[in-house]
Amino acid sequence: MDCLFCKIISGEIPSKKVYEDEKVYAFYDIKPMAPVHVLIIPKNHLSSINDVNEDNSAVISHVYEVAAKLAKELGIAESGYRVVSNCGSDAGQTVFHLHFHLLGGQKLKVEMC
Ligand code: AMP
Ligand code: ZN
C-alpha cells in the first residue's frame, strides 16, 4: 500500500522515533506546530477514525496510554497538552493513516475550530 506512515513504520522513510512497541509507533512531526509535536500511530493501517470499530478499537486506548507516558517523559504532563486526530477534509486531514497529534510545551490556542 502506498501509505507514507506505513513506510515510516517499516523504516523505508526515515523518522525521528520517540517510542515504539508492538502496537504503536511515535515520532516527531516534520513540521512542528508546538515545541512538543509528536505523532502517535497504530502500526496496523487504519485510514482515519472512520475505520475504528469494536474489532480494532483496543489500539485507541493504547494510544492514549502511550500519550500519557510520552507527555510525562517529554515534560509536558503538568503544564498541559492536547491530543488531536483530524478526520477527513473539513478537519484538514492530510495523511490517511490514523494518527494522533500530541501537542504541548506552550500555551495552546483555545479555539477548536
Ligand atoms: P494531518 O494534517 O492531521 O493529517 O497531519 C499530518 C501530519 O503529518 C502533519 O502535521 C505533517 O507535518 C506530518 N508529516 C507529514 N509527513 C511527515 C514525515 N515524513 N515525517 C513526520 N511528520 C510528517
Ligand atoms: Zn498506513
Side-chain angles (χ1 to χ4, degrees):
M1 193 191 308
D2 194 26
C3 169
L4 174 65
F5 286 177
C6 282
K7 287 179 180 166
I8 282 180
I9 292 164
S10 72
E12 194 180 328
I13 290 175
S15 65
K16 283 175 68 185
K17 179 164 91 170
V18 181
Y19 175 83
E20 181 176 17
D21 62 29
E22 71 284 358
K23 296 192 203 105
V24 302
Y25 187 82
F27 56 105
Y28 285 105
D29 197 290
I30 206 166
K31 262 176 75 180
M33 292 170 67
V36 175
H37 188 171
V38 168
L39 299 173
I40 306 170
I41 64 179
K43 284 189 168 175
N44 285 335
H45 180 93
L46 300 170
S47 295
S48 74
I49 295 175
N50 280 341
D51 283 354
V52 176
N53 59 47
E54 63 182 5
D55 296 326
N56 61 30
S57 62
V59 73
I60 307 300
S61 57
H62 187 65
V63 163
Y64 276 83
E65 286 171 31
V66 170
K69 172 184 155 61
L70 295 183
K72 288 188 194 86
E73 288 177 8
L74 297 170
I76 56 171
E78 300 310 319
S79 50
Y81 58 94
R82 190 170 289 157
V83 179
V84 180
S85 186
N86 296 319
C87 179
S89 90
D90 276 2
Q93 183 178 6
T94 58
V95 179
F96 285 81
H97 179 125
L98 178 61
H99 54 279
F100 294 79
H101 299 257
L102 171 63
L103 297 151
Q106 71 179 36
K107 196 91 182 159
L108 300 170
K109 290 201 179 81
V110 173
E111 297 86 48
M112 290 294 283
C113 53

